[in-house]
Short mmCIF file of all heavy atoms in Angstrom, two decimals:
data_model
loop_
_atom_site.label_atom_id
_atom_site.label_comp_id
_atom_site.label_asym_id
_atom_site.label_seq_id
_atom_site.Cartn_x
_atom_site.Cartn_y
_atom_site.Cartn_z
N TYR A 143 -17.29 -5.11 35.02
CA TYR A 143 -17.14 -6.07 36.19
C TYR A 143 -16.05 -7.03 36.05
O TYR A 143 -15.17 -7.16 37.01
CB TYR A 143 -18.47 -6.82 36.38
CG TYR A 143 -18.38 -7.94 37.45
CD1 TYR A 143 -18.45 -7.60 38.78
CD2 TYR A 143 -18.04 -9.27 37.10
CE1 TYR A 143 -18.29 -8.58 39.73
CE2 TYR A 143 -17.91 -10.17 38.06
CZ TYR A 143 -18.06 -9.88 39.43
OH TYR A 143 -17.88 -10.85 40.41
N LEU A 144 -15.87 -7.60 34.84
CA LEU A 144 -14.78 -8.59 34.66
C LEU A 144 -13.44 -7.92 34.71
O LEU A 144 -12.45 -8.49 35.23
CB LEU A 144 -14.99 -9.17 33.28
CG LEU A 144 -16.18 -10.15 33.10
CD1 LEU A 144 -16.23 -10.74 31.69
CD2 LEU A 144 -16.21 -11.28 34.11
N ALA A 145 -13.32 -6.69 34.29
CA ALA A 145 -12.08 -5.97 34.28
C ALA A 145 -11.64 -5.61 35.73
O ALA A 145 -10.43 -5.51 36.02
CB ALA A 145 -12.20 -4.67 33.46
N ARG A 146 -12.60 -5.47 36.59
CA ARG A 146 -12.31 -5.08 37.98
C ARG A 146 -12.26 -6.20 38.97
O ARG A 146 -12.18 -5.99 40.19
CB ARG A 146 -13.35 -4.05 38.48
CG ARG A 146 -13.27 -2.68 37.69
CD ARG A 146 -14.12 -1.64 38.38
NE ARG A 146 -15.56 -2.04 38.33
CZ ARG A 146 -16.34 -1.67 37.30
NH1 ARG A 146 -15.92 -0.98 36.28
NH2 ARG A 146 -17.64 -2.06 37.30
N GLN A 147 -12.39 -7.43 38.51
CA GLN A 147 -12.41 -8.57 39.42
C GLN A 147 -11.14 -8.72 40.16
O GLN A 147 -10.08 -8.47 39.64
CB GLN A 147 -12.55 -9.92 38.68
CG GLN A 147 -14.01 -10.09 38.09
CD GLN A 147 -14.10 -11.48 37.49
OE1 GLN A 147 -14.80 -12.32 38.02
NE2 GLN A 147 -13.47 -11.70 36.31
N PRO A 148 -11.19 -9.08 41.50
CA PRO A 148 -9.99 -9.35 42.25
C PRO A 148 -9.25 -10.58 41.70
O PRO A 148 -9.77 -11.37 40.99
CB PRO A 148 -10.42 -9.55 43.65
CG PRO A 148 -11.86 -10.06 43.49
CD PRO A 148 -12.41 -9.30 42.35
N ALA A 149 -7.91 -10.68 42.01
CA ALA A 149 -7.11 -11.74 41.48
C ALA A 149 -7.66 -13.11 41.77
O ALA A 149 -7.50 -14.03 41.04
CB ALA A 149 -5.64 -11.56 41.91
N ASN A 150 -8.28 -13.25 42.97
CA ASN A 150 -8.70 -14.59 43.39
C ASN A 150 -10.22 -14.71 43.26
O ASN A 150 -10.83 -15.48 44.04
CB ASN A 150 -8.34 -14.77 44.88
CG ASN A 150 -9.02 -13.81 45.79
OD1 ASN A 150 -9.47 -12.70 45.31
ND2 ASN A 150 -9.04 -14.08 47.06
N TRP A 151 -10.78 -14.09 42.26
CA TRP A 151 -12.24 -14.14 42.08
C TRP A 151 -12.87 -15.52 41.98
O TRP A 151 -13.96 -15.75 42.34
CB TRP A 151 -12.69 -13.30 40.83
CG TRP A 151 -12.15 -13.85 39.53
CD1 TRP A 151 -10.96 -13.55 38.93
CD2 TRP A 151 -12.71 -14.86 38.73
NE1 TRP A 151 -10.75 -14.30 37.79
CE2 TRP A 151 -11.85 -15.12 37.62
CE3 TRP A 151 -13.87 -15.61 38.75
CZ2 TRP A 151 -12.11 -16.01 36.66
CZ3 TRP A 151 -14.17 -16.56 37.79
CH2 TRP A 151 -13.30 -16.73 36.73
N TYR A 152 -12.04 -16.48 41.44
CA TYR A 152 -12.52 -17.84 41.18
C TYR A 152 -12.44 -18.71 42.49
O TYR A 152 -12.81 -19.86 42.41
CB TYR A 152 -11.74 -18.45 40.11
CG TYR A 152 -10.26 -18.36 40.34
CD1 TYR A 152 -9.46 -19.31 41.06
CD2 TYR A 152 -9.51 -17.32 39.73
CE1 TYR A 152 -8.17 -19.14 41.25
CE2 TYR A 152 -8.16 -17.15 39.96
CZ TYR A 152 -7.47 -18.04 40.70
OH TYR A 152 -6.09 -17.98 40.88
N GLY A 153 -12.00 -18.18 43.55
CA GLY A 153 -11.83 -18.93 44.78
C GLY A 153 -13.15 -19.20 45.51
O GLY A 153 -13.12 -19.98 46.49
N SER A 154 -14.20 -18.46 45.13
CA SER A 154 -15.46 -18.71 45.87
C SER A 154 -16.55 -18.84 44.84
O SER A 154 -16.51 -18.39 43.67
CB SER A 154 -15.84 -17.44 46.75
OG SER A 154 -16.07 -16.32 45.88
N ARG A 155 -17.60 -19.54 45.25
CA ARG A 155 -18.78 -19.71 44.28
C ARG A 155 -19.35 -18.38 43.88
O ARG A 155 -19.70 -18.23 42.67
CB ARG A 155 -19.77 -20.61 44.92
CG ARG A 155 -20.94 -20.84 43.90
CD ARG A 155 -21.81 -22.01 44.21
NE ARG A 155 -22.73 -22.30 43.10
CZ ARG A 155 -23.59 -23.37 43.15
NH1 ARG A 155 -23.61 -24.19 44.20
NH2 ARG A 155 -24.39 -23.54 42.13
N PRO A 156 -19.61 -17.49 44.83
CA PRO A 156 -20.24 -16.17 44.36
C PRO A 156 -19.34 -15.49 43.29
O PRO A 156 -19.85 -14.95 42.35
CB PRO A 156 -20.26 -15.38 45.67
CG PRO A 156 -20.41 -16.42 46.77
CD PRO A 156 -19.56 -17.56 46.29
N GLY A 157 -18.03 -15.57 43.43
CA GLY A 157 -17.18 -14.93 42.50
C GLY A 157 -17.33 -15.58 41.09
O GLY A 157 -17.39 -14.91 40.06
N ARG A 158 -17.35 -16.89 41.05
CA ARG A 158 -17.54 -17.57 39.82
C ARG A 158 -18.89 -17.38 39.13
O ARG A 158 -19.08 -17.19 37.90
CB ARG A 158 -17.25 -19.10 39.93
CG ARG A 158 -15.79 -19.45 40.38
CD ARG A 158 -15.54 -20.93 40.38
NE ARG A 158 -16.51 -21.72 41.10
CZ ARG A 158 -16.39 -21.98 42.37
NH1 ARG A 158 -15.32 -21.58 43.06
NH2 ARG A 158 -17.31 -22.75 43.01
N GLU A 159 -19.92 -17.45 39.97
CA GLU A 159 -21.27 -17.27 39.48
C GLU A 159 -21.47 -15.88 38.87
O GLU A 159 -22.15 -15.68 37.87
CB GLU A 159 -22.31 -17.52 40.59
CG GLU A 159 -22.43 -18.99 41.01
CD GLU A 159 -23.26 -19.84 40.12
OE1 GLU A 159 -23.76 -19.32 39.07
OE2 GLU A 159 -23.43 -21.10 40.37
N LEU A 160 -20.92 -14.87 39.61
CA LEU A 160 -21.05 -13.54 39.13
C LEU A 160 -20.30 -13.31 37.81
O LEU A 160 -20.73 -12.52 36.93
CB LEU A 160 -20.61 -12.50 40.21
CG LEU A 160 -21.56 -12.42 41.39
CD1 LEU A 160 -21.10 -11.26 42.39
CD2 LEU A 160 -22.98 -12.23 41.02
N ALA A 161 -19.18 -13.98 37.67
CA ALA A 161 -18.46 -13.89 36.39
C ALA A 161 -19.30 -14.50 35.24
O ALA A 161 -19.39 -13.95 34.16
CB ALA A 161 -17.13 -14.65 36.52
N ALA A 162 -19.96 -15.64 35.53
CA ALA A 162 -20.85 -16.19 34.50
C ALA A 162 -22.03 -15.30 34.21
O ALA A 162 -22.43 -15.16 33.01
CB ALA A 162 -21.36 -17.59 35.01
N ILE A 163 -22.51 -14.66 35.24
CA ILE A 163 -23.63 -13.71 35.05
C ILE A 163 -23.20 -12.53 34.19
O ILE A 163 -23.91 -12.00 33.26
CB ILE A 163 -24.26 -13.27 36.37
CG1 ILE A 163 -25.05 -14.39 36.97
CG2 ILE A 163 -25.10 -12.01 36.19
CD1 ILE A 163 -25.53 -14.21 38.39
N ALA A 164 -21.93 -12.02 34.45
CA ALA A 164 -21.41 -10.95 33.66
C ALA A 164 -21.31 -11.36 32.19
O ALA A 164 -21.61 -10.54 31.26
CB ALA A 164 -20.08 -10.50 34.21
N ILE A 165 -20.83 -12.57 31.95
CA ILE A 165 -20.79 -13.09 30.60
C ILE A 165 -22.18 -13.08 29.93
O ILE A 165 -22.34 -12.64 28.74
CB ILE A 165 -20.19 -14.54 30.55
CG1 ILE A 165 -18.73 -14.57 31.02
CG2 ILE A 165 -20.39 -15.16 29.21
CD1 ILE A 165 -17.80 -13.93 30.08
N GLN A 166 -23.21 -13.47 30.69
CA GLN A 166 -24.54 -13.48 30.10
C GLN A 166 -24.98 -12.09 29.72
O GLN A 166 -25.61 -11.91 28.66
CB GLN A 166 -25.49 -14.08 31.19
CG GLN A 166 -26.92 -14.33 30.73
CD GLN A 166 -27.84 -13.13 30.87
OE1 GLN A 166 -27.57 -12.14 31.59
NE2 GLN A 166 -29.02 -13.18 30.28
N ARG A 167 -24.65 -11.16 30.61
CA ARG A 167 -25.07 -9.72 30.21
C ARG A 167 -24.31 -9.23 29.03
O ARG A 167 -24.85 -8.50 28.21
CB ARG A 167 -24.83 -8.79 31.44
CG ARG A 167 -25.53 -9.32 32.70
CD ARG A 167 -26.99 -9.46 32.56
NE ARG A 167 -27.73 -8.25 32.65
CZ ARG A 167 -29.06 -8.16 32.64
NH1 ARG A 167 -29.80 -9.26 32.53
NH2 ARG A 167 -29.65 -6.93 32.81
N ILE A 168 -23.04 -9.55 28.89
CA ILE A 168 -22.28 -9.15 27.70
C ILE A 168 -22.92 -9.83 26.44
O ILE A 168 -23.01 -9.15 25.40
CB ILE A 168 -20.82 -9.59 27.84
CG1 ILE A 168 -20.15 -8.82 28.99
CG2 ILE A 168 -20.02 -9.33 26.54
CD1 ILE A 168 -18.77 -9.39 29.35
N ALA A 169 -23.31 -11.03 26.58
CA ALA A 169 -23.88 -11.78 25.39
C ALA A 169 -25.13 -11.12 24.87
O ALA A 169 -25.49 -11.20 23.71
CB ALA A 169 -24.17 -13.21 25.81
N ILE A 170 -25.91 -10.41 25.76
CA ILE A 170 -27.12 -9.80 25.24
C ILE A 170 -26.84 -8.80 24.18
O ILE A 170 -27.57 -8.67 23.24
CB ILE A 170 -27.87 -9.13 26.47
CG1 ILE A 170 -28.41 -10.19 27.44
CG2 ILE A 170 -28.99 -8.18 26.00
CD1 ILE A 170 -28.93 -9.59 28.69
N ASN A 171 -25.68 -8.09 24.29
CA ASN A 171 -25.35 -7.08 23.26
C ASN A 171 -24.42 -7.66 22.23
O ASN A 171 -24.56 -7.32 21.01
CB ASN A 171 -24.63 -5.90 23.97
CG ASN A 171 -25.59 -5.15 24.86
OD1 ASN A 171 -26.75 -4.88 24.50
ND2 ASN A 171 -25.14 -4.74 26.04
N ASP A 172 -23.47 -8.52 22.55
CA ASP A 172 -22.49 -9.05 21.62
C ASP A 172 -22.07 -10.43 21.99
O ASP A 172 -21.12 -10.62 22.80
CB ASP A 172 -21.30 -8.11 21.56
CG ASP A 172 -20.47 -8.43 20.39
OD1 ASP A 172 -20.40 -9.55 19.89
OD2 ASP A 172 -19.81 -7.43 19.78
N PRO A 173 -22.72 -11.46 21.50
CA PRO A 173 -22.38 -12.86 21.81
C PRO A 173 -20.92 -13.22 21.49
O PRO A 173 -20.30 -14.00 22.19
CB PRO A 173 -23.33 -13.74 21.07
CG PRO A 173 -24.55 -12.83 20.83
CD PRO A 173 -23.93 -11.47 20.68
#
């Protein structure tokens, strides 16, 4: 998901929240 984010992903709250959620999912396997 992080690799495929659009260039302006941080311009909206959903884009930022989903990035944080993606980080959480990565942390489950490798913090």
Side-chain angles (χ1 to χ4, degrees):
Y143 172 82
L144 294 180
R146 292 190 296 270
Q147 286 186 111
N150 64 340
W151 62 269
Y152 50 85
S154 69
R155 180 163 191 179
R158 297 190 303 273
E159 291 281 359
L160 292 185
I163 287 171
I165 293 291
Q166 188 269 350
R167 304 305 278 186
I168 296 167
I170 292 172
N171 293 318
D172 195 328

